[in-house]
């Protein structure tokens, strides 16, 4: 079928015919094993290929040299052993007419010397990158010779694997460290004039072209404006783009704007929730207009309407929807089938990237199948067994996910919710105006439940008899938890919970101490609301750094608000007790490091965040009446088989609990519980 949709038009890139205009740009999900893209890596990209995109870019970035050690799970394209693994990945995507490319790089100063082989980090000049903290050595002539050769050898491996092309990374890495006045302080043939600063790039391009020939696509993901005073200015960035476009050495430009050397700078390049969508789309369009050259771009283009606009108005030739495909790899397929309204939205939570930068792997905050394709399906199959009556108690995110999956399996599902609205703690989090996009996590699931015909009964505080009256085969207890105080020696009745602040049931006082030993968004969200109310606030944490459960990208907007509002942050300090003196409260502070140390703060209000305690009364009431006694076989949950042991032959149903009804965790944990239990019903 032909379509007038700009996103679905084919695009000819050199000899490649890309079937539509949608791509996933290079990024490192940290799914590699020993630097190789094995099964998990392959299945992740193959799922996006199944979902209909025209081009998937792997790696972010694959490293070409040993002295560019992996910063976060990077692929080792300097190793011949990668060729068959890349070939398997390419074949899996080509099966769905999805082209595959890879980004290759030398990380330069964007890594650490104390990784892998403990080789020194290098850069154009010895300018330290704050994010990775290494002091680089100045790259020498012999380094340049070997690294240029490494680039060529790496490109040859990619071509041998059957990939459709490569792109170089010139965006905070070695190549563009020569371009930028902020990182190039040389006075030799590689410094000073733009010709000199581009010398290393041209050496790499020449070596690669000599190796792979003209029948292989070669592009570059390049910063065209570092957008800070000492960095590469827009005028020079545009000129570099023009020179590359006219060189005959590259086939496309993938445009970036900004710097990535600090968390704060990185969020301007990769915005999080509450920040501008597609902030650099117009800039990328300027580069395309100036160069008349194939132009790709991605930076929080998270919805189909914006992507369509980017193509329709000629700003881009290929539009990257990278985080959006982490949330839903089937975007293009749903557009083609007229199911655009069913696309699971990217809400900008950036749980994916924050996990990578903290040493984990990419996981979507509300799609637990991404990165787990071997065990968790993106498309839920109907159950081959009998249809069951499933009762889900609680319409927080975990309960909604469990209900959605059970309904997709073909079961009859009823959801009982105590309040008048679904959403639980996610809805509470959206009371911070900056994070209101998170409601998409709830709205999408409610729309899916409506499509699937699931009944949701609101204002229903479910007791044992209410559940039994529905004659369930399966009961899923997703009642969540309630806020709990940290352990105090005195003053439990004098503190206010972060929930009360977030919900607006208690207003911030004039002078507030907030104690957070949970370390996630919950305490930070309350702190931001308090700060924005105009209150004087001190944030106290027992950790070495505050909010350790929250990654660097999400740290940025909180810290911006704290600096703007004059919030005092105190770490390595515990709240010991609270007492009243007149109209004020005295918060007694203590130290883990000095037993006899004590401090005091005189404030009007003490707010605490210590996670939640499970709301488990209903579960405990149903447990003795169930077949499994509430038990779950964890080994089979992970490895396969019947997960509900028969502990009570007289029981009438299976019962289990998920999410915070088990223990205080996070959004992703609740959703993962919902789907991995739901597919086993």
């Amino acid at each position: 079928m032909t379509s007038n949709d700009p996103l679905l038009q084919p695009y000819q890139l050199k000899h490649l015919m890309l079937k539509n205009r949608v791509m996933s740009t290079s990024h490192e999900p940290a799914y590699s094993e020993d630097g190789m893209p094995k099964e998990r890596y392959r299945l992740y990209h193959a799922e996006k290929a199944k979902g209909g995109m025209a081009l998937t870019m792997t790696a972010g970035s694959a490293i070409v040299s040993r002295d560019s050690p992996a910063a976060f799970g990077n692929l080792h394209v300097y190793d011949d052993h990668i060729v068959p693994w890349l070939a398997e990945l390419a074949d899996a995507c080509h099966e769905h007419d999805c082209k595959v490319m890879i980004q290759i790089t030398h990380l330069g100063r964007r890594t650490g010397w104390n990784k892998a082989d403990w080789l020194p980090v290098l850069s154009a000049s010895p300018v330290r990158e704050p994010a990775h903290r290494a002091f680089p050595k100045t790259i020498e002539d012999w380094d340049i010779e070997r690294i240029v050769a490494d680039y060529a050898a790496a490109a040859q491996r990619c071509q041998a694997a059957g990939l459709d092309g490569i792109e170089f990374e010139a965006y905070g890495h070695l190549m563009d460290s020569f371009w930028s006045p902020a990182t190039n302080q040389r006075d030799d043939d590689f410094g000073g004039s733009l010709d000199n600063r581009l010398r290393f790039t041209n050496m790499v391009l020449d070596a690669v072209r000599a190796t792979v020939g003209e029948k292989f696509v070669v592009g570059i993901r390049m910063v065209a404006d570092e957008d800070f005073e000492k960095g590469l200015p827009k005028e020079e960035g545009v000129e570099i783009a023009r020179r590359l476009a006219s060189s005959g050495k590259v086939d496309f430009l993938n445009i970036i704007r900004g710097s990535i050397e600090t968390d704060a700078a990185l969020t301007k390049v990769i915005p999080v929730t509450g920040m501008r969508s597609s902030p650099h789309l117009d800039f990328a369009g300027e580069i395309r207009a100036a160069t008349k050259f194939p132009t790709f771009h991605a930076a929080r283009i998270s919805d189909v309407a914006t992507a369509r606009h980017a193509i329709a108005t000629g700003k881009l030739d290929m539009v990257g929807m990278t985080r959006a495909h982490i949330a839903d790899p089937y975007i293009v397929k749903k557009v083609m089938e007229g199911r655009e309204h069913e696309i699971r939205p990217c809400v900008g939570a950036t749980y994916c990237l924050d996990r990578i930068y903290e040493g984990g792997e990419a996981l979507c905050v509300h799609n637990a199948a991404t990165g787990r394709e071997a065990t968790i399906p993106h498309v839920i199959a109907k159950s081959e067994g009998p249809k069951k009556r499933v009762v889900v108690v609680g319409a927080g995110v975990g309960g909604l996910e469990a209900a959605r999956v059970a309904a997709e399996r073909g079961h009859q599902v009823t959801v009982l919710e105590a309040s008048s609205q679904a959403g639980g703690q996610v809805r509470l989090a959206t009371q911070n105006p900056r994070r209101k996009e998170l409601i998409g996590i709830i709205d999408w699931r409610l729309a899916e439940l409506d499509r699937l015909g699931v009944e949701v009964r609101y204002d229903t505080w479910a007791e044992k008899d209410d559940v039994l009256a529905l004659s369930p085969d399966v009961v899923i207890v997703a009642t969540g938890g309630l806020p709990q105080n940290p352990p105090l020696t005195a003053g439990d009745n004098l503190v206010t919970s972060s929930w009360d602040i977030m919900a607006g049931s208690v207003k911030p006082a004039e002078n507030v101490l907030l104690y957070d030993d949970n370390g996630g968004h919950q305490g930070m969200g309350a702190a931001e609301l308090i700060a924005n109310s105009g209150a004087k606030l001190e944030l106290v944490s027992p950790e070495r750094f505050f909010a350790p459960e929250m990654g660097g990208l999400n740290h940025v907007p909180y810290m911006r608000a704290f600096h703007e509002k004059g919030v005092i942050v105190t770490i390595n300090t515990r709240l010991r007790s609270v007492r009243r003196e007149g109209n004020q409260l005295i918060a007694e502070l203590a130290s883990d490091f000095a037993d006899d140390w004590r401090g005091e703060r005189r404030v009007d209000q003490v707010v605490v965040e210590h996670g939640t305690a499970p709301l488990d009364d209903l579960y405990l009431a149903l447990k003795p009446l169930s077949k499994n006694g509430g038990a779950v076989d964890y080994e089979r949950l992970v490895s396969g088989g019947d997960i509900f042991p028969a502990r009570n032959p007289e029981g009438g149903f299976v019962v289990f609990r998920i999410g915070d009804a088990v223990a205080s965790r996070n959004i992703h944990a609740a959703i993962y519980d919902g789907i991995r239990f739901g597919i086993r019903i």
Side-chain angles (χ1 to χ4, degrees):
M1 294 177 63
T2 59
S3 170
N4 294 323
D5 190 332
L7 283 181
L8 302 182
Q9 303 309 306
Y11 180 66
Q12 187 78 38
L13 178 67
K14 206 171 187 177
H15 60 278
L16 290 182
M17 177 59 74
L18 302 173
K19 63 184 178 181
N20 56 56
R21 302 302 187 94
V22 180
M23 65 181 292
S24 176
T25 52
S26 294
H27 60 290
E28 187 46 71
Y31 299 156
S32 61
E33 299 173 48
D34 304 317
M36 300 292 121
K38 297 184 181 180
E39 182 188 44
R40 188 181 188 189
Y41 212 105
R42 179 179 74 253
L43 293 178
Y44 166 67
H45 282 282
E47 197 74 30
K48 292 189 288 185
K50 288 179 192 176
M53 67 167 59
L55 169 63
T56 188
M57 288 273 206
T58 67
S61 309
I63 50 182
V64 301
S65 304
R66 258 191 194 282
D67 64 338
S68 175
F72 24 74
N74 306 69
L75 299 182
H76 296 176
V77 77
Y78 62 80
D79 186 341
D80 288 343
H81 290 97
I82 202 170
V83 173
W85 294 111
L86 285 176
E88 283 190 35
L89 190 156
D91 290 346
C93 294
H94 287 159
E95 185 179 332
H96 304 283
D97 191 22
C98 179
K99 303 300 188 284
V100 186
M101 297 189 194
I102 189 171
Q103 183 182 89
I104 67 174
T105 197
H106 191 294
L107 290 165
R109 66 188 190 133
R110 193 166 173 77
T111 185
W113 54 266
N114 56 350
K115 299 174 183 291
D117 300 306
W118 285 55
L119 297 171
V121 168
L122 49 73
S123 187
S125 297
V127 180
R128 189 191 200 201
E129 189 212 45
H132 290 79
R133 305 181 66 249
F135 292 94
K137 81 157 190 169
T138 300
I139 190 170
E140 300 178 58
D141 51 357
W142 59 273
D143 291 315
I144 290 172
E145 291 169 9
R146 66 178 174 80
I147 292 171
V148 168
D150 287 345
Y151 266 104
Q156 190 173 37
R157 292 183 188 99
C158 298
Q159 187 179 41
L163 299 183
D164 298 292
I166 61 173
E167 73 171 8
F168 303 113
E169 173 73 301
Y171 157 45
H173 292 191
L174 178 61
M175 187 174 284
D176 60 299
S177 74
F178 285 94
W179 300 0
S180 174
T183 48
N184 189 338
Q185 301 171 354
R186 305 174 72 100
D187 57 7
D188 61 2
D189 289 345
F190 292 88
S193 70
L194 197 55
D195 284 339
N196 283 357
R197 284 182 277 146
L198 287 173
R199 192 178 304 278
F200 175 75
T201 300
N202 284 315
M203 290 172 68
V204 171
L205 288 172
D206 290 340
V208 167
R209 274 297 177 204
T211 301
V212 301
E214 295 301 317
K215 298 290 189 179
F216 192 59
V217 173
V218 176
I220 185 167
R221 193 171 199 184
M222 60 166 288
V223 60
D225 176 11
E226 287 191 312
D227 195 26
F228 74 101
E229 185 179 357
K230 295 181 179 180
L232 182 76
K234 177 180 177 180
E235 296 75 21
E236 287 193 337
V238 173
E239 176 59 22
I240 291 172
R242 285 197 185 99
R243 293 189 186 192
L244 290 170
S246 63
S247 69
K249 300 174 184 178
V250 298
D251 302 307
F252 66 86
L253 305 176
N254 191 347
I255 299 301
I256 292 287
R257 186 184 195 191
S259 167
I260 57 175
E261 67 173 24
T262 66
D263 289 337
L266 186 58
T267 59
K268 294 180 181 179
V269 179
I270 308 174
V272 304
T273 186
M275 301 177 71
R276 284 179 58 199
S277 294
S278 57
H280 309 305
L281 177 56
D282 289 342
F283 176 74
E286 289 180 41
I287 300 296
R288 185 177 185 272
T291 60
K292 307 294 192 293
F293 200 67
T295 302
F296 303 173
H297 173 66
R300 208 182 177 212
I301 300 174
S302 55
D303 62 280
V304 168
T306 302
R308 188 176 284 126
H309 165 76
I311 300 299
T313 56
K315 296 181 187 299
L316 302 178
D317 295 291
M318 293 292 294
V319 59
M321 302 183 71
T322 307
R323 278 182 288 176
H325 276 89
I326 292 175
D328 190 339
Y330 284 77
I331 290 172
V332 176
K333 182 177 174 63
K334 289 178 180 179
V335 170
M336 293 175 65
E337 295 176 353
R339 297 190 292 127
E340 198 170 312
H341 58 287
E342 293 180 23
I343 293 171
R344 185 189 314 237
C346 173
V347 296
T350 318
Y351 186 65
C352 49
L353 284 171
D354 269 347
R355 282 187 56 84
I356 294 169
Y357 294 138
E358 298 301 315
E361 79 275 55
L363 296 173
C364 175
V365 73
H366 79 125
N367 185 350
T370 295
R372 298 188 179 101
E373 284 79 8
T375 56
I376 303 292
H378 285 271
V379 179
I380 307 298
K382 294 292 184 186
S383 172
E384 296 178 356
K387 183 177 180 179
K388 295 181 179 179
R389 179 150 182 76
V390 179
V391 176
V392 180
V393 185
V397 67
L400 293 177
E401 177 70 350
R404 178 189 75 86
V405 174
E408 288 278 22
R409 296 279 286 155
H411 302 304
Q412 182 182 351
V413 182
T414 302
V415 180
L416 307 178
E417 167 55 36
S419 72
S420 59
Q421 290 181 301
Q425 291 184 63
V426 172
R427 188 172 292 278
L428 193 65
T430 65
Q431 300 312 296
N432 180 343
R434 186 178 58 75
R435 304 190 77 219
K436 63 184 180 182
E437 291 173 76
L438 295 181
I439 201 62
I441 297 171
I442 303 304
D443 288 347
W444 180 77
R445 285 172 172 77
L446 289 175
E448 288 292 282
L449 295 190
D450 185 60
R451 176 179 67 83
L452 293 164
V454 172
E455 179 188 10
V456 182
R457 300 181 187 176
Y458 295 104
D459 299 309
T460 303
W461 184 275
E463 304 281 1
K464 177 181 69 174
D465 291 342
D466 299 309
V467 174
L468 296 179
L470 295 172
S471 302
D473 298 303
V474 178
V475 180
I476 304 173
V477 178
T479 46
L482 293 176
Q484 59 183 346
N485 288 346
L488 302 176
T489 59
D492 265 332
N493 61 325
L494 298 177
V495 300
T496 300
S497 79
S498 64
W499 281 35
D500 288 334
I501 297 293
M502 293 295 295
S505 56
V506 176
K507 300 298 182 186
E510 185 174 338
N511 186 5
V512 182
L513 182 145
L514 188 150
Y515 178 70
D516 176 19
D517 65 356
N518 185 15
H521 283 282
Q522 301 92 326
M524 293 302 99
E528 188 173 0
L529 288 184
I530 293 167
N532 287 336
S533 76
K536 178 183 177 183
L537 173 64
E538 181 177 5
L539 174 60
V540 177
S541 169
E543 308 287 351
R544 287 181 292 144
F545 57 95
F546 71 92
E549 295 299 318
M550 188 179 66
L553 289 171
N554 273 286
H555 177 94
V556 171
Y558 289 117
M559 202 64 238
R560 180 179 297 118
F562 296 165
H563 275 159
E564 289 174 350
K565 304 299 182 181
V567 174
I568 297 170
V569 177
T570 301
I571 58 173
N572 295 320
T573 304
R574 289 194 181 276
L575 178 65
R576 186 170 186 269
S577 67
V578 180
R579 69 180 188 274
R580 183 177 294 283
E581 282 190 7
N583 292 328
Q584 290 192 302
L585 300 176
I586 306 299
E588 183 187 15
L589 306 178
S591 167
D592 293 345
F593 311 98
D595 293 342
D596 296 332
W597 181 87
R598 294 288 184 270
E600 287 189 349
R601 301 289 192 272
R602 182 179 292 271
V603 295
D604 302 313
Q605 187 179 55
V606 176
V607 178
V608 295
E609 167 54 44
H610 186 67
T612 58
L615 187 58
D616 56 6
D617 291 351
L618 177 63
Y619 167 76
L620 295 175
L622 293 171
K623 180 178 171 180
L625 305 176
S626 68
K627 294 178 181 178
N628 64 319
V632 176
D633 188 322
Y634 286 161
E635 182 61 35
R636 290 183 172 182
L637 178 66
V638 173
S639 304
D642 186 356
I643 65 173
F644 302 115
R647 296 168 61 87
N648 177 16
E650 305 300 319
F653 52 87
V654 165
V655 66
F656 59 92
R657 51 182 172 160
I658 62 174
D660 281 8
V662 180
S664 184
R665 289 177 286 168
N666 67 9
I667 294 170
H668 182 85
I671 288 173
Y672 188 23
D673 275 1
I675 191 169
R676 69 171 164 176
F677 282 99
I679 60 175
R680 310 299 282 277
I681 296 173

